[in-house]
Amino acid sequence: MSKKILVLGTGAQGTTVAKRLDLEPNVEKIICADYDEAAAKELAAGLNKAEGYFCNASDKAQITPLLEGCDLVVNALPLAFGKNVIDAALEAKVNYQDFAAPEGFEDTWEKCMYRLLGEYNEKFKEAGILGIMGTGSAPGTMCVVARDTMKDIDECDTINMMVYEGVEAKRFQPYWWSPVTALADMDDLPVAWIDGQMVNTRPFSLPIERTIDYVGYPVRFVEHAHDEPFYVGIRADELFKGCKNAFFKYGGVGIEFAEPLARAGLLKREPVEIDGQMVNTHNAILSALPHPPRFAHEIQEILDEGLVSDTGAFVVEAMGKKDGKDVRVESHLFAPGMVESFEKFGITGEQYLTGQGGFLFTKLFVNDQLDQTGFISSAELTEEANDKYLEYAKELEITVERRIVWDDPYFKEQAPAKEFKPWWDGPTITPVEPLED
């Protein structure tokens, strides 16, 4: 049955999904909508099945008409608009997909997650529709790979989900996706699952170091605000072999740019007094960050100027027991880099992996591979859907290599990573507040 899809947000991720949907035989119509009407219309003009529209998603009433006749809405907007889009989709009984995990339901992100995976899960079930959040590359593909990794472990002690962003342009371009989201993540408290409890850690804390053969040098990873540890922890017993500890670790160009700013206290979003003036240093830095390239001519200009490096790593590392013995199971994901992505598809490596990673969830919807109802995270697909996702991924040159390590599976011989003196007040690890009934 042909599908009608609404893509809200025509940035890097939304653009990639729309372009891929245009090639799907089971898609009849694509509605591209954004506050930037010109960008939405420019995207739609280059596709065969699409129309472009203006939408101010801060007004739910503007979303509702666009949902008419749709089978799925793909939300590629900033987090703040998530509640409006979810509520509009629920009222219209339209399936929902979100690249991120929306805010606005509670006073903390973690409480929002409890609300969505509890109350909204039941509401979506009652409506007979499915909502999935965290469906980019990380979270998203990362969660699918983490689930698949569990096939080769009997008891799971610790899961490290690690991303190294090694693509660096000669021009100043620290982030290849939304700088608003990127800089906010650098200041937000990370969530982790430690000793079977949901906790917050501190940005850039608890560093680890890994030498990854295809990168060629030691990489330092630190704590970073991401969804994956929450998704793993809340389903640890059912889906992750009793996992006791789960972390998201991040390294690379973006961390190297932001960590000194954090140490200097410049990423805080509360205004501070400087020379008698109240200054929001976070916003000041944000105003200096370039937007990510979206269109071919923008990417070509960056490549013509040259890259410093075009590398990276995307790894799930699970430690525990297999056949009664200590084991480390590593899943390494490989996908086209910056240059290859542009040469083959006319997009950046970030657009490719995040956009294609998100699109693969959309493809599951479009091809009726999802038979669940409710509101779930990308870590909660059925095993059959998880396998189908990875099957689809291979067709897009996104592959996973599994490595099983019996010798020193817990890195007992690993040298400690460089660690700075804490610059924050209070403890590094604090319990997450529960959601009150």
Side-chain angles (χ1 to χ4, degrees), residues 42-206:
E42 181 177 354
L43 172 60
L47 305 177
N48 295 314
K49 304 175 184 178
E51 296 176 1
Y53 293 92
F54 171 83
C55 181
N56 181 356
S58 63
D59 179 5
K60 191 178 73 171
Q62 293 193 29
I63 302 170
T64 301
L66 296 171
L67 289 167
E68 185 175 351
C70 287
D71 300 282
L72 169 69
V73 53
V74 179
N75 182 9
L77 294 169
L79 305 183
F81 300 105
K83 187 177 188 304
N84 278 352
V85 185
I86 287 176
D87 287 341
L90 186 59
E91 291 170 11
K93 295 188 177 181
V94 172
N95 293 302
Y96 176 86
Q97 178 190 341
D98 199 323
F99 273 84
E103 299 175 344
F105 297 86
E106 294 290 338
D107 60 351
T108 69
W109 180 88
E110 292 81 8
K111 289 180 181 178
C112 285
M113 296 305 98
Y114 284 123
R115 179 73 67 197
L116 287 165
L117 296 174
E119 177 188 336
Y120 273 77
N121 182 38
E122 294 305 315
K123 287 181 177 181
F124 270 67
K125 285 181 180 178
E126 290 172 7
I129 56 176
L130 176 62
I132 305 181
M133 64 179 171
T135 64
S137 57
T141 308
M142 181 70 80
C143 297
V144 171
V145 173
R147 279 283 304 285
D148 194 62
T149 305
M150 294 299 99
K151 293 178 179 178
D152 286 307
I153 199 166
D154 297 331
E155 302 171 34
C156 185
D157 180 86
T158 299
I159 301 176
N160 287 319
M161 292 160 279
M162 304 180 290
V163 172
Y164 171 61
E165 297 275 5
V167 178
E168 184 173 7
K170 288 187 176 179
R171 71 163 58 175
F172 178 61
Q173 188 74 54
Y175 303 109
W176 299 93
W177 63 101
S178 165
V180 175
T181 301
L183 209 62
D185 285 349
M186 294 292 173
D187 184 51
D188 286 341
L189 290 178
V191 66
W193 179 248
I194 298 180
D195 294 331
Q197 290 188 322
M198 207 70 74
V199 301
N200 288 124
T201 60
R202 296 286 182 161
F204 310 101
S205 67
L206 307 179

Side-chain angles (χ1 to χ4, degrees), residues 336-412:
M338 174 70 169
V339 173
E340 185 181 359
S341 292
F342 184 71
E343 289 176 347
K344 290 184 175 180
F345 311 107
I347 58 179
T348 67
E350 168 63 27
Q351 283 178 303
Y352 191 83
L353 185 54
T354 302
Q356 310 293 8
F359 162 71
L360 292 173
F361 290 96
T362 316
K363 188 177 177 78
L364 291 174
F365 270 112
V366 167
N367 291 305
D368 300 317
Q369 297 291 335
L370 298 172
D371 57 6
Q372 296 162 272
T373 60
F375 198 97
I376 64 175
S377 79
S378 52
E380 298 178 66
L381 300 180
T382 64
E383 187 170 341
E384 293 76 15
N386 214 72
D387 290 343
K388 178 60 72 171
Y389 181 100
L390 293 173
E391 181 183 318
Y392 285 156
K394 287 182 183 178
E395 298 172 2
L396 297 178
E397 302 182 39
I398 300 171
T399 59
V400 178
E401 176 186 311
R402 189 91 84 241
R403 303 177 182 182
I404 299 178
V405 181
W406 302 97
D407 181 31
D408 191 26
Y410 281 86
F411 296 99
K412 295 175 182 176

Side-chain angles (χ1 to χ4, degrees), residues 227-263:
D227 310 7
E228 292 91 335
F230 192 97
Y231 297 167
V232 170
I234 202 167
R235 299 289 183 256
D237 291 335
E238 304 100 307
L239 300 176
F240 291 94
K241 304 293 180 74
C243 176
K244 299 179 181 63
N245 306 281
F247 303 91
F248 181 84
K249 301 289 187 180
Y250 191 38
V253 176
I255 289 292
E256 291 164 5
F257 167 76
E259 188 170 19
L261 297 174
R263 294 176 67 194

